[in-house]
Amino acid sequence: MKQPIGVIDSGVGGLTVARELMRQLPKETFLYLGDTKRCPYGPRSEEEVRAFTWQMVNFLLEKNIKMLVIACNTATAYTLTELQETLNIPVIGVIEPGARAAIKFSRNKRIGVIGTEGTIESKAYPNALVAIDQNIRVNSLACPPFVPMVEDGILSGPKAEGIVSNTLQPLKEMNHIDTLILGCTHYPLIKDLVQNEMGSHIQVISSGEETAREASLILAYHKLLEKGNASPVHEFYTTGDIEKFRLVANSWFEEPVRILKSVQIEHVPSSAY
C-alpha cells in the first residue's frame, strides 16, 4: 500500500505547491488539506496559527503520511521548527526553498518579499535570506487583500488588477529590487498580475518548484521514494465550501485534474479535528 505525502495550507494557495510536487514526483500519492473555513491565517495570532496547524497535522497523521509539506508561509514561519523536532517523519516548509531561489536569481542582492501580515511580521524571509548571504537587502510588504481575493476566485480582470496595483504601490516606489518573492502560496495564482504591475525587469519567485525539489531530495535520502507503477490517487480535503474549493482547484490544475479522474475532494468540518 502506498504511503502518502501530506500537504497542508490555510486555504487554496497550497495547491500551487501541490501541483509542482505532483509534477516532480509523479509516482507519489498526495493528501491535501486546506483550512478554507478559517482562512486567512495572516492576521491571526501565532497561538491560533500553531493550534490550527497542529489540528491539520493530526488529521493527516491518522492517514499514515510519510512526509509533511507545510505549503503555507505563515504556518511555516510559526511551526516548522516545532514540527520538525516533534514528528518522526520529514517535515519541510516553503520559506527556505523560496529564499534560496531568490538569491540564485538576484543580481544586485536587493530582494522584495510580499506576504501576509503574519509572515511579514515574523521576519522569516529576511532571516532566511541573510542567513545565506549577509549582503542581501530585503524590502518587505504585507498584502492583506490578496488572500481573500484569491479565496474568492478573483484571479483576473479589472477588479483584481486594481487591488494588485493599489497594494503593491509602496513596493514599486522603492524601485531598486530586482527580485520579488511571493511569500504566500496563494500569490502564484495571481503571479501574472503581480508581474505586470512590477514590470518585466523584476524576477518574480514562487517557492513551489524549489520546495518540490527539496521534497524529492529528502525522500531519496530517507529511501522513501515510491517505486511502484500504480497510478496515484490523490485526495483533497477542505474545511470550508466544497464547490468554491473545487472551482479553484480545477482552474489551477486544469489538465492534470481532468486526467486524474479519481481525485477526491471531501469536506472536513473543523469539529472533526
Side-chain angles (χ1 to χ4, degrees), residues 204-257:
V204 178
I205 301 293
S206 56
S207 57
E209 185 175 342
E210 290 294 323
T211 302
R213 186 176 294 114
E214 183 166 311
S216 179
L217 291 171
I218 291 174
L219 288 170
Y221 176 79
H222 290 282
K223 299 186 179 355
L224 292 172
L225 283 170
E226 177 60 44
K227 293 184 170 59
N229 294 318
S231 297
V233 179
H234 308 300
E235 295 181 5
F236 293 80
Y237 298 88
T238 174
T239 61
D241 186 289
I242 296 172
E243 290 309 314
K244 185 183 288 187
F245 185 92
R246 190 193 306 276
L247 180 65
V248 176
N250 284 336
S251 68
W252 184 242
F253 279 89
E254 297 173 349
E255 187 173 334
V257 164

Side-chain angles (χ1 to χ4, degrees), residues 117-139:
E117 301 99 311
T119 298
I120 299 304
E121 288 173 7
S122 74
K123 301 188 184 303
Y125 271 103
N127 291 340
L129 289 162
V130 173
I132 299 171
D133 185 343
Q134 293 184 349
N135 294 315
I136 294 291
R137 294 188 180 182
V138 185
N139 292 114

Side-chain angles (χ1 to χ4, degrees), residues 170-182:
L171 194 62
K172 287 183 66 180
E173 291 173 356
M174 295 174 188
N175 200 35
H176 56 255
I177 64 170
D178 73 345
T179 305
L180 177 64
I181 298 174
L182 301 180

Side-chain angles (χ1 to χ4, degrees), residues 23-256:
R23 187 184 73 81
Q24 293 193 33
L25 296 164
K27 291 186 176 182
E28 300 294 340
T29 299
F30 293 91
L31 305 185
Y32 181 94
L33 173 55
D35 191 9
T36 52
K37 185 175 182 179
R38 299 182 292 194
C39 185
Y41 279 11
R44 295 186 180 276
S45 67
E46 180 176 349
E47 291 73 19
E48 279 186 303
V49 173
R50 288 181 61 251
F52 295 169
T53 302
W54 270 107
Q55 288 169 356
M56 288 193 288
V57 170
N58 288 332
F59 175 83
L60 291 179
L61 288 176
E62 292 180 358
K63 298 183 176 295
N64 195 33
I65 58 173
K66 64 182 178 181
M67 168 182 271
L68 175 67
V69 179
I70 311 173
C72 172
N73 286 267
T74 305
T76 298
Y78 290 148
T79 69
L80 177 62
T81 300
E82 179 182 358
L83 288 167
Q84 288 176 330
E85 292 175 351
T86 305
L87 302 184
N88 60 0
I89 59 174
V91 182
I92 64 173
V94 288
I95 290 176
E96 290 189 2
R100 286 195 294 271
I103 288 175
K104 180 171 67 177
F105 283 103
S106 179
R107 300 173 303 279
N108 67 4
K109 296 184 184 291
R110 293 172 179 254
I111 296 173
V113 179
I114 57 175
T116 66
E117 301 99 311
T119 298
I120 299 304
E121 288 173 7
S122 74
K123 301 188 184 303
Y125 271 103
N127 291 340
L129 289 162
V130 173
I132 299 171
D133 185 343
Q134 293 184 349
N135 294 315
I136 294 291
R137 294 188 180 182
V138 185
N139 292 114
S140 301
L141 177 68
C143 301
F146 286 1
V147 170
M149 181 177 79
V150 171
E151 289 286 327
D152 287 337
I154 305 172
L155 307 177
S156 61
K159 183 176 181 179
E161 291 169 3
I163 293 172
V164 170
S165 178
N166 290 335
T167 304
L168 294 180
Q169 190 58 40
L171 194 62
K172 287 183 66 180
E173 291 173 356
M174 295 174 188
N175 200 35
H176 56 255
I177 64 170
D178 73 345
T179 305
L180 177 64
I181 298 174
L182 301 180
C184 173
T185 51
H186 283 73
Y187 296 179
L189 288 160
I190 54 170
K191 181 178 180 180
D192 289 345
L193 294 177
V194 173
Q195 184 74 74
N196 289 340
E197 188 62 31
M198 295 302 297
S200 59
H201 62 290
I202 302 293
Q203 179 72 44
V204 178
I205 301 293
S206 56
S207 57
E209 185 175 342
E210 290 294 323
T211 302
R213 186 176 294 114
E214 183 166 311
S216 179
L217 291 171
I218 291 174
L219 288 170
Y221 176 79
H222 290 282
K223 299 186 179 355
L224 292 172
L225 283 170
E226 177 60 44
K227 293 184 170 59
N229 294 318
S231 297
V233 179
H234 308 300
E235 295 181 5
F236 293 80
Y237 298 88
T238 174
T239 61
D241 186 289
I242 296 172
E243 290 309 314
K244 185 183 288 187
F245 185 92
R246 190 193 306 276
L247 180 65
V248 176
N250 284 336
S251 68
W252 184 242
F253 279 89
E254 297 173 349
E255 187 173 334

